[in-house]
Amino acid sequence: MLHRIERLLLDLACCAVVALGLLITVSVLLRVTVNSGVPDTIVMVRELMVVAIVLPLAAATTARAHIVVEFLSNRLPLRAQGWLVVFGGLFGLFALSPLLYAGWNEVAHNIGSGSYYVGQLNLPKWPGRVLFLIGMSFCWLRLLLLVIGDIRTLRAGGVPALSETTSSTFAEEDRS
Amino acid sequence: AQTTLILGEAGPNRGARAEATQAFADDVAARTNGDLTIDIQWGGALFKADAALQGVSDGVADLGTIIGVYFPQEMVAYDIADLPLLNNDSWVGMRATDELMRTDPTITENLAAQDLVYLGTFTTSAVNIGCKGTTIRTVDDVSGLKVRGVGAYGDVFRDLGANMVAMPIYDAYQGLDTGLLDCSQGYSYAVAALKQQEVMTSYTILNWGQVGALGIFMNKFAYDALTPEQQTALNEAGVGMADTLGELINADNDAAVQTMKDAGVEVIELDAAERDKLVERGKPYIDAWVEQATAAGLDGAGMLASYRELLDKYTAERDAQGYPWTR
Amino acid sequence: MDGTLIGLIAFAAVIGLLALRVPIAFVLAGVGTIGTFVIFATRTGAFTPDRAMRPTTSLVFSNSFDLIHSYDLSMIPLFIALGHIAYRADITTRIYDAARVWLAKVPGGVAMASVVGCGGFSAITGSSIACASTMGRICSPEMLRMGYDKGLATASVAAGGTLGSLIPPSVLFIIYGIFTETSISSLFLAGILPGILSLAGFLLAIYIWVTTRPEVAPAYEGDITLRDKWIAAVGAWPAIALFVLIVGGIYGGFFTATEAAAICVAAACVIGFAQGKLTVRDLWDSLRETCIQTSSIFLIAAAAKIFVAFTALTGVAPAIVNAVGDAQLSPVLLLAAIAVIYLILGMFLDPIGIMVLTLPLMVPLVENYGFDLIWFGVVVVKLLEIGLITPPVGLNVFVISNVVGKAVPIDRIFAGIWRFLAIDVVVLVLLMSFPVISLLIPNSL
Ligand code: NA
Ligand code: NA
């Protein structure tokens, strides 16, 4: 279930990259050809950036794509390295919690106050914040499940996946 | 006890506004005999300009420079200083804005509800426009040009048929240089500071209005925790900012216009009749502001009337006595 | 508790947690958050945690959100997408095959071509991270495919990416110009020769590497005729067309560097589809990889931003700069001290963060010594660029590591970096000793 949601979020992020690329391309073409443009391009691109970057965080976590420095821990036995992976995950859960809490406050504040960006369209500020909160929440949840899974693996005598699976694995997996 | 307050500023520690900010901090220290000092964090190290309001209201910094244009909803009262009203005198604009912000109890309440206290105001000074390869002598000349504009002034340029190109002021140099922009709205001192005279061929002084909704605000809890003497010191230093910046910015602007002339830029003053067309075109945006302020529970029409009176009052004071630094 | 002390403890904690294999983004965000909380909780002297919650969460949110919520940085996902799409559409492979054929006689020729490519790409973007992420995606996999040593294939591009801010345009020079009220165009001109010198240095580093250890860069086997060369060159036309489109578009005034990224992605898709080399499926896979990579790069950058805001609260940077100022050093010692300060800060912080934290105090200090601010700007930018490839926090290295995935562990990249760092130190000393290298072009125009 979570895996499907992650893929949906990732695909939404891909749509955002396509959208921001098209938006910029169209506004350049309009400027060069008919001396015109798309209103509030900058605001829309900034909001799309949030979609493109925050929504795939859960998928990046699944792919263990968060970069680590390994040269010291590599000398340890495999199981010890496994426990360090668990520790890194727990630290991540802790590090991301304030962002979740603050994201929640921001969403409540911006929906309540009706804040908006100055521009021709006066676009509201809340959608980017809501998407930030959604992306962070799923990332946090995925990290929690990874940590729990890794602890189980270790207690059963195994070793969790240490280094990242490449992001292309994620893309290929869907194809099969 | 000795207290150090943190001031978050998104801009650099150079230029007239930075000098005025530093002068404000020094003034506060002097007025409290060093009891209250202000540590300024420049360059958006704590928060960027578009997060300043939340940063001050949440107490990330005790004080901060807030730019009204980023917060049209929250800073609707302050945004009166950004309206394209006929007044291009920095000092008059600042004193009028300062008095309105300080004396209107509904504004104070509106700010308090956001955990903010108003302390003092700046201005970016008069809005003008510089171009490369073209010259704006009449309002009709704007039509069809690629223009970088800001706020209601930019809206008026668009209404006049300009094609608005959105980019930060720091990119305008390259934009003008490559021809991506024909013209860029700006302020004289900023043109010189960013060396735009190197790529401009003409600079039109509009004698129109200014962008004035930027100033120092304080976190209400931090303010309430101070002694009455310390609060007075902050407020008096805040009033003084208008005189400090007024003198600095007038000198900078005059020097900048000279720099442009020396660089071979044609400097034109827009004809008064043409200027009046701009003012006329700006009216819908003033009406829109009144509506918006009224919707926010403020007396929009009343505030606008008071603000116009204050502009007249300080214009009269300047005409009678000159600027404070020349008296 | 004293802010400087909290700051130093935090720096130590960063090193410790990184050694314990905690992901870099979590380390910077977590330590930055705890440190910020402690500072806010102890501001009044007593420990008041309830008063620290609101400012801490606000600082953490606004700094991370603002970094992501950026128009200018939209060029990063777009340029990364360009790399992926160009790879799948065979565009990068063909330019690399051309480079291999043409440079067959030059040892390590393809790595050198990559670094020159970085120099060319840095003339388009103002950002080292954008430069490294794009060129990393384009060059490293191709060099690995040709059997180049993993360290060489990655470190060369991580180092080449640092040219992004030295060769104009450059975000760092713009920020420096604003902070010092010096001419941004003079700074851009001043960066050209030092940029070329650095580029030449990197080429030399590669040359020394491959001549002392030829196995790191396999030579092209077989005879090459002139005909082969021309076929390879003609086959590489899409890459050349893209480059001409970007450079012509930016310098012809049709679009900005940010816009160029979008235009290029569109053009690469058109070329790929028209040649039948790219399918919708390929495009979507490219985008998925792009999104995952962009998201982990930005997570690190956002965490680094939180750490910068925390460092600002500690007052560590002004404490160090003031200590150096009070020491009344001779000009040479002052320069050495400044270099050490920037290199140490560069171990932990990102370039823009270091600039906003140090320049307000550093500039008046060097002005008192009568240093030329344009030349000093070049020195500062070079120092900050070196910081991008020094451990433990070397953003360019992370970016390359991210785009090559598990094919090359990050330690392998750092292990290859030292050769380039050594050359960089030589270049730095030259730039410091001979201001004329920086000032020749701006002063002669
Ligand atoms: Na560059
Ligand atoms: Na570093």
Side-chain angles (χ1 to χ4, degrees):
Chain A
M1 180 60 192
L2 189 57
H3 198 73
R4 288 174 105 176
I5 296 176
E6 271 167 21
R7 210 163 53 207
L8 174 72
L9 293 177
L10 181 59
D11 285 340
L12 283 174
C14 295
C15 295
V17 174
V18 171
L20 68 87
L22 277 179
L23 196 56
I24 296 172
T25 307
V26 168
S27 75
V28 169
L29 290 179
L30 285 178
R31 185 173 65 224
V32 172
T33 55
V34 293
N35 202 16
S36 171
V38 183
D40 288 356
T41 308
I42 291 190
V43 176
M44 287 190 275
V45 167
R46 295 172 81 192
E47 293 286 291
L48 287 167
M49 278 289 282
V50 178
V51 183
I53 288 157
V54 182
L55 291 191
L57 278 176
T61 305
T62 306
R64 297 187 191 257
H66 301 306
I67 296 161
V68 297
V69 179
E70 297 171 309
F71 71 97
L72 282 171
S73 58
N74 270 349
R75 293 150 203 223
L76 296 173
L78 275 180
R79 280 183 54 82
Q81 292 188 42
W83 282 110
L84 287 181
V85 171
V86 169
F87 173 70
L90 288 172
F91 194 84
L93 288 172
F94 163 76
L96 295 183
S97 304
L99 281 173
L100 280 188
Y101 174 77
W104 181 253
N105 284 346
E106 272 285 316
V107 166
H109 173 82
N110 278 286
I111 291 183
S113 70
S115 298
Y116 64 91
Y117 297 106
V118 162
Q120 282 171 270
L121 308 176
N122 288 342
L123 298 166
K125 284 186 181 174
W126 63 263
R129 267 101 176 153
V130 169
L131 289 158
F132 181 89
L133 182 62
I134 293 175
M136 276 293 164
S137 304
F138 278 100
C139 174
W140 198 88
L141 190 60
R142 168 52 75 192
L143 194 56
L144 180 69
L145 293 178
L146 272 187
V147 168
I148 292 172
D150 287 351
I151 291 176
R152 280 201 184 134
T153 311
L154 280 161
R155 295 188 65 158
V159 175
L162 287 176
S163 71
E164 67 212 55
T165 52
T166 55
S167 42
S168 52
T169 323
F170 202 90
E172 305 295 329
E173 185 181 306
D174 180 55
R175 188 182 284 194
S176 55
Chain B
Q2 207 273 336
T3 310
T4 301
L5 300 171
I6 301 173
L7 191 158
E9 157 68 54
N13 64 327
R14 289 293 178 117
R17 199 177 95 203
E19 277 184 59
T21 310
Q22 190 61 58
F24 166 77
D26 296 345
D27 194 10
V28 170
R31 284 171 191 274
T32 57
N33 295 318
D35 197 30
L36 196 58
T37 53
I38 296 178
D39 169 19
I40 308 173
Q41 293 289 341
W42 305 99
L46 287 177
F47 41 70
K48 282 207 238 163
D50 55 2
L53 186 135
Q54 207 59 36
V56 177
S57 128
D58 287 337
V60 173
D62 304 300
L63 301 84
T65 309
I66 295 180
I67 302 179
V69 71
Y70 291 114
F71 311 99
Q73 174 80 11
E74 296 85 345
M75 283 281 145
V76 60
Y78 198 29
D79 280 344
I80 198 170
D82 280 354
L83 295 179
L85 298 165
L86 182 58
N87 167 50
N88 63 340
D89 187 301
S90 317
W91 178 80
V92 170
M94 282 190 282
R95 290 304 297 261
T97 307
D98 186 70
E99 189 169 333
L100 183 74
M101 293 297 289
R102 224 173 265 290
T103 53
D104 187 330
T106 58
I107 298 180
T108 310
E109 262 172 55
N110 177 290
L111 291 172
Q114 307 178 60
D115 299 331
L116 296 173
V117 176
Y118 167 84
L119 285 187
T121 207
F122 299 120
T123 180
T124 55
S125 85
V127 167
N128 297 312
I129 189 165
C131 306
K132 182 188 181 188
T134 182
T135 311
I136 296 177
R137 294 176 202 282
T138 69
V139 165
D140 296 334
D141 293 340
V142 175
S143 181
L145 297 179
K146 286 174 284 190
V147 177
R148 191 199 71 86
V150 180
Y153 300 94
D155 291 335
V156 171
F157 293 135
R158 182 186 318 106
D159 295 344
L160 289 167
N163 176 21
M164 303 311 289
V165 180
M167 64 166 68
I169 193 167
Y170 304 115
D171 293 345
Y173 181 101
Q174 207 188 353
L176 287 166
D177 194 26
T178 61
L180 185 57
L181 284 181
D182 295 312
C183 304
S184 174
Q185 175 188 325
Y187 322 104
S188 303
Y189 71 89
V191 168
L194 298 170
K195 317 284 171 190
Q196 289 174 352
Q197 74 276 0
E198 296 169 2
V199 290
M200 280 178 180
T201 56
S202 75
Y203 185 73
T204 306
I205 293 174
L206 301 172
N207 289 321
W208 181 10
Q210 54 190 303
V211 173
L214 70 162
I216 299 184
F217 290 76
M218 185 161 181
N219 178 283
K220 191 164 188 310
F221 302 111
Y223 182 82
D224 292 343
L226 298 176
T227 64
E229 295 76 33
Q230 291 172 323
Q231 293 176 345
T232 308
L234 282 168
N235 284 307
E236 285 174 358
V239 178
M241 276 168 39
D243 294 350
T244 315
L245 184 60
E247 180 176 11
L248 289 168
I249 218 166
N250 278 6
D252 276 13
N253 280 334
D254 292 347
V257 170
Q258 191 55 49
T259 306
M260 287 184 239
K261 287 179 177 162
D262 294 346
V265 177
E266 184 187 0
V267 178
I268 305 135
E269 288 226 24
L270 191 68
D271 189 72
E274 291 295 312
R275 188 267 322 275
D276 290 344
K277 289 186 198 167
L278 289 176
V279 175
E280 190 60 35
R281 289 278 196 162
K283 284 211 168 105
Y285 298 100
I286 297 170
D287 296 342
W289 176 86
V290 171
E291 242 174 69
Q292 207 195 330
T294 310
L298 297 162
D299 174 17
M303 278 172 64
L304 185 62
S306 325
Y307 187 59
R308 287 190 195 271
E309 272 170 34
L310 287 167
L311 288 174
D312 292 342
K313 171 183 156 186
Y314 284 103
T315 307
E317 183 182 323
R318 177 203 63 193
D319 292 344
Q321 308 175 32
Y323 293 115
W325 55 92
T326 56
R327 288 174 199 165
Chain C
M1 211 153 123
D2 174 43
T4 315
L5 181 64
I6 298 176
L8 295 176
I9 293 173
F11 282 11
V14 166
I15 296 182
L17 288 165
L18 284 177
L20 288 176
R21 212 186 178 287
V22 178
I24 174 85
F26 300 158
V27 172
L28 293 174
V31 174
T33 307
I34 301 172
T36 303
F37 186 83
V38 172
I39 286 184
F40 281 129
T42 54
R43 268 197 76 191
T44 52
F47 187 69
T48 49
D50 48 314
R51 292 182 51 175
M53 263 324 253
R54 190 170 160 192
T56 305
T57 49
S58 179
L59 176 145
V60 166
F61 178 85
S62 71
N63 279 287
S64 49
F65 186 80
D66 270 1
L67 184 106
I68 294 165
H69 195 247
S70 158
Y71 175 77
D72 294 332
L73 295 183
S74 68
M75 72 159 76
I76 292 182
L78 289 170
F79 273 129
I80 292 178
L82 175 67
H84 281 288
I85 293 167
Y87 180 76
R88 287 183 194 253
D90 239 17
I91 296 173
T92 59
T93 305
R94 275 178 289 158
I95 186 99
Y96 264 81
D97 286 342
R100 175 155 65 169
V101 170
W102 279 82
L103 300 170
K105 295 277 177 287
V106 185
V110 175
M112 291 184 183
S114 299
V115 172
V116 173
C118 289
F121 195 79
S122 67
I124 296 160
T125 68
S127 149
S128 295
I129 303 291
C131 194
S133 52
T134 312
M135 294 308 284
R137 184 63 193 84
I138 291 172
C139 311
S140 298
E142 295 291 346
M143 282 190 271
L144 292 173
R145 183 175 64 86
M146 292 177 183
Y148 270 58
D149 174 78
K150 289 177 179 176
L152 175 59
T154 51
S156 57
V157 188
T162 68
L163 296 168
S165 295
L166 214 47
I167 296 176
S170 157
V171 175
L172 294 188
F173 276 137
I174 292 177
I175 294 173
Y176 180 88
I178 294 164
F179 265 87
T180 54
E181 288 190 309
T182 44
S183 159
I184 292 165
S185 49
S186 296
L187 287 165
F188 279 4
L189 293 172
I192 295 175
L193 285 183
I196 294 173
L197 184 65
S198 303
L199 176 63
F202 294 152
L203 295 180
L204 181 66
I206 295 172
Y207 181 80
I208 296 171
W209 194 345
V210 300
T211 44
T212 52
R213 292 186 50 204
E215 72 276 11
V216 299
Y220 187 80
E221 307 289 337
D223 295 329
I224 299 163
T225 63
L226 193 61
R227 200 177 120 81
D228 293 335
K229 286 190 176 182
W230 283 112
I231 288 173
V234 170
W237 74 265
I240 295 162
L242 283 181
F243 190 76
V244 169
L245 177 69
I246 306 189
V247 175
I250 292 175
Y251 290 94
F254 294 104
F255 41 74
T256 64
T258 310
E259 293 168 339
I263 300 283
C264 264
V265 172
C269 289
V270 170
I271 294 173
F273 285 131
Q275 291 197 315
K277 296 266 169 85
L278 189 70
T279 63
V280 174
R281 186 75 247 182
D282 286 335
L283 178 62
W284 208 251
D285 285 347
S286 306
L287 288 172
R288 282 181 170 174
E289 290 187 54
T290 300
C291 285
I292 288 186
Q293 286 171 1
T294 311
S295 128
S296 45
I297 290 172
F298 271 82
L299 189 65
I300 294 179
K305 188 74 187 59
I306 293 174
F307 198 75
V308 166
F310 155 68
T311 310
L313 286 174
T314 63
V316 161
I320 299 175
V321 175
N322 285 336
V324 168
D326 294 343
Q328 308 269 329
L329 301 169
S330 70
V332 173
L333 278 179
L334 177 78
L335 263 185
I338 288 173
V340 170
I341 291 175
Y342 278 103
L343 291 175
I344 290 176
L345 291 176
M347 287 167 66
F348 299 96
L349 302 171
D350 75 296
I352 294 177
I354 297 173
M355 274 202 174
V356 301
L357 293 180
T358 58
L359 286 185
L361 292 152
M362 194 64 93
V363 170
L365 178 63
V366 301
E367 268 182 325
N368 278 342
Y369 277 76
F371 289 169
D372 183 293
L373 282 181
I374 299 281
W375 161 73
F376 186 68
V378 173
V379 171
V380 167
V381 168
K382 183 69 197 171
L383 283 164
L384 295 174
E385 294 294 275
I386 292 176
L388 284 172
I389 52 173
T390 55
V393 181
L395 283 177
N396 265 14
V397 175
F398 296 150
V399 167
I400 301 292
S401 162
N402 188 293
V403 295
V404 295
K406 77 169 173 191
V408 186
I410 196 160
D411 320 326
R412 256 325 256 290
I413 311 179
F414 273 126
I417 281 289
W418 71 265
R419 296 164 184 274
F420 296 97
L421 272 178
I423 291 280
D424 259 345
V425 171
V426 175
V427 170
L428 179 67
V429 170
L430 286 174
L431 293 181
M432 285 179 158
S433 317
F434 304 102
V436 65
I437 303 172
S438 308
L439 298 177
L440 185 66
I441 296 185
N443 286 353
S444 61
L445 287 179

